[in-house]
């Protein structure tokens, strides 16, 4: 079942709830994938980045639960097919053999795909919340959006300063 496949989207409110349910599922899946990514990473700096983002992701799950409460909904997931696919791609990297630095570069690429998806999802949800005058929800979603952007930036720094130069000499 894909995004919007059997959902009745007759209002921006319905779309907003649908999006929050999708992001909630995505973040729940990511809390299970990040420890595996940290374990698969060979560079300590990358392991630490994944572990730190796991803690942020747990906070993002909590924020989404607050958003549900603010809009009078019970926390509920809607299967996020995009995150399922992104995690599957990440698992392929984790299962790959080869040079450690090259594998770490591949893990960063997979993780950045996740971050970009999450930035798009949080950005859209935040915009819907703002339009619907859910100002407290808007602030919570913006916090998570900011964290996703910071995580992406950190991954870029790790890649450019350490991992990619080592991978280039493999």
């Amino acid at each position: 079942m894909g995004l919007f496949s059997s959902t009745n989207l007759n209002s921006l409110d319905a779309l907003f709830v649908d999006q929050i349910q999708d992001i909630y599922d995505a973040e729940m899946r990511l809390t299970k994938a990040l420890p595996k990514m940290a374990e698969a990473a060979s560079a300590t700096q990358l392991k630490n980045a994944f572990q730190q983002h796991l803690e942020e992701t747990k906070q993002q799950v909590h924020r989404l639960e607050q958003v549900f409460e603010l809009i009078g909904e019970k926390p509920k997931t809607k299967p996020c097919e995009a995150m399922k696919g992104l995690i599957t791609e990440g698992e392929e990297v984790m299962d790959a053999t080869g040079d450690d630095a090259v594998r770490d570069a591949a893990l960063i690429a997979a993780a950045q795909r996740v971050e970009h998806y999450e930035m798009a999802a949080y950005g859209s949800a935040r915009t819907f919340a703002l339009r619907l005058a859910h100002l407290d929800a808007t602030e919570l979603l913006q916090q998570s959006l900011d964290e996703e952007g910071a995580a992406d930036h950190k991954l870029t720094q790790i890649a450019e300063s350490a991992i990619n130069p080592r991978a280039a000499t493999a």
Side-chain angles (χ1 to χ4, degrees), residues 44-59:
T44 302
Q45 190 178 17
L46 185 55
K47 283 181 182 292
N48 292 342
F50 287 145
Q51 290 165 345
Q52 178 186 348
H53 196 55
L54 172 60
E55 295 310 311
E56 289 174 343
T57 301
K58 289 175 182 177
Q59 287 302 311

Side-chain angles (χ1 to χ4, degrees), residues 11-53:
S11 68
L12 191 58
D13 278 308
L15 176 58
F16 179 60
V17 170
D18 180 82
Q19 295 293 289
I20 297 300
Q21 290 172 343
D22 184 80
I23 298 168
Y24 189 54
D25 184 72
E27 295 291 23
M28 298 293 276
R29 290 177 191 282
L30 198 53
T31 61
K32 294 175 183 146
L34 279 167
K36 295 174 189 173
M37 293 179 78
E39 186 177 319
S42 65
T44 302
Q45 190 178 17
L46 185 55
K47 283 181 182 292
N48 292 342
F50 287 145
Q51 290 165 345
Q52 178 186 348
H53 196 55

Side-chain angles (χ1 to χ4, degrees), residues 51-88:
Q51 290 165 345
Q52 178 186 348
H53 196 55
L54 172 60
E55 295 310 311
E56 289 174 343
T57 301
K58 289 175 182 177
Q59 287 302 311
Q60 292 164 358
V61 167
H62 178 68
R63 278 190 214 112
L64 288 167
E65 290 166 349
Q66 290 177 292
V67 169
F68 280 115
E69 185 178 323
L70 287 167
I71 63 173
E73 296 282 334
K74 290 186 179 184
K76 179 182 168 191
T77 62
K78 175 182 178 178
C80 181
E81 300 300 329
M83 188 58 75
K84 283 184 189 180
L86 291 168
I87 288 172
T88 297

